[in-house]
Amino acid sequence: MFNVTTALPTENATYERPFDEIGIAVSAFIILAFLVFGIVGNGLTFAVIVTYRMLSENIFMRFILSLCVSDLISALISWLFLYRRTWGFDVWAPLPDIFCKFYWAADIMTSFVTALHIFSFAVLRLISIQFFAVYNKIKIRHGNIWIACIWVLSFLCGFLPSWFIFGAGERDRFGDTPDARWPACTVLYDQLVAYSYFQKISYTIFLYLPLVGVVVVCSAIVFIVRIKSRKVAPSKKCEKRQKREKQVVLQLLLIMASFLIGYIPFTAYEFWGNQDLPKTPYYRFADYWFGMIEYFFLRFSEVLNPLFYNLGSAKMRKHTKKFIKTKMLCCINWKKRTISHSVPTTLERSSSAVNNGA
């Protein structure tokens, strides 16, 4: 399924690509399916939040709205990942080099945006549960500024450096250079040192620390909610509040689970890819499919996000159903059909009497 031998213009060597046409077909089906579901799911969530004021004026929904934008960008550029890992693996043509640079810059920027959003979302939830007086002072405009800062910071520290570090170029498949097993569209060879520093600093700050922070904050929230539920005497008001807090915890845990599903494999591959691995067909094969599979998980997590937003919020589910019913399926008559009980006319009564007499 994965190996095709392609003759190169050398006398004593052949080059084995780590995939064949079946591998391309399977990869394309998975990635393009995630692309469609990602666009539909995140687009629907975005439209629902924007449409209903009750949702759009909620600070948590603002973060979810911004996350949808990040996931939509990731979905829209995923076809470039498919191309660079399949048809454009050896030669990045006929696409211009700018597409390669844009893919990497946008992908790393959205990864930073997602990680910082989910960490911020978790911190905000912790404040709302443990420090309610402080939470009441946080307004929508504060949330907007917070979100804008995340995007600007991710652009400056993710998009711009990546634009100069990554690019398309011919790889020497028989050389001893680290990029011998990499796709044509990847880190520029003369930027390897810069990328090493970039990865150690920016990935640690914008990916790995938020990853650990989300787990710690979510664990703290679960602990706090459990302690509160034990201390408070049972009453209808307390039961409603506990139910609401449990719903909050559920939503946060689902979003965290989606985040971990996508970025733990991503992190594992980054550590794998930076190792000085042997230049054998086995390690080229392992590197290729490890990179492809971790991307499957990343796209899958972004498909799960809209589902988890609705599962973790009764208000979101309610408005999503309302939006689908009133905006998307508005041409369908949802009124129940009733049996007509019209009063018969004089002619109809006369005809009925004649027939009965007959």
Side-chain angles (χ1 to χ4, degrees), residues 140-203:
I140 289 293
R141 66 176 182 275
H142 300 141
N144 292 338
I145 294 171
W146 191 340
I147 292 168
C149 288
I150 289 175
W151 278 97
V152 171
L153 195 62
S154 299
F155 178 82
L156 295 176
C157 300
F159 189 96
L160 289 182
S162 301
W163 186 269
F164 299 100
I165 290 173
F166 294 90
E170 187 178 353
R171 309 293 164 179
D172 182 6
R173 301 302 180 189
F174 300 97
D176 293 329
T177 57
D179 65 340
R181 68 179 188 276
W182 297 346
C185 172
T186 188
V187 181
L188 296 171
Y189 184 68
D190 58 353
Q191 296 292 333
L192 282 177
V193 175
Y195 176 67
S196 177
Y197 285 110
F198 172 73
Q199 188 184 48
K200 289 176 182 177
I201 298 172
S202 64
Y203 279 29

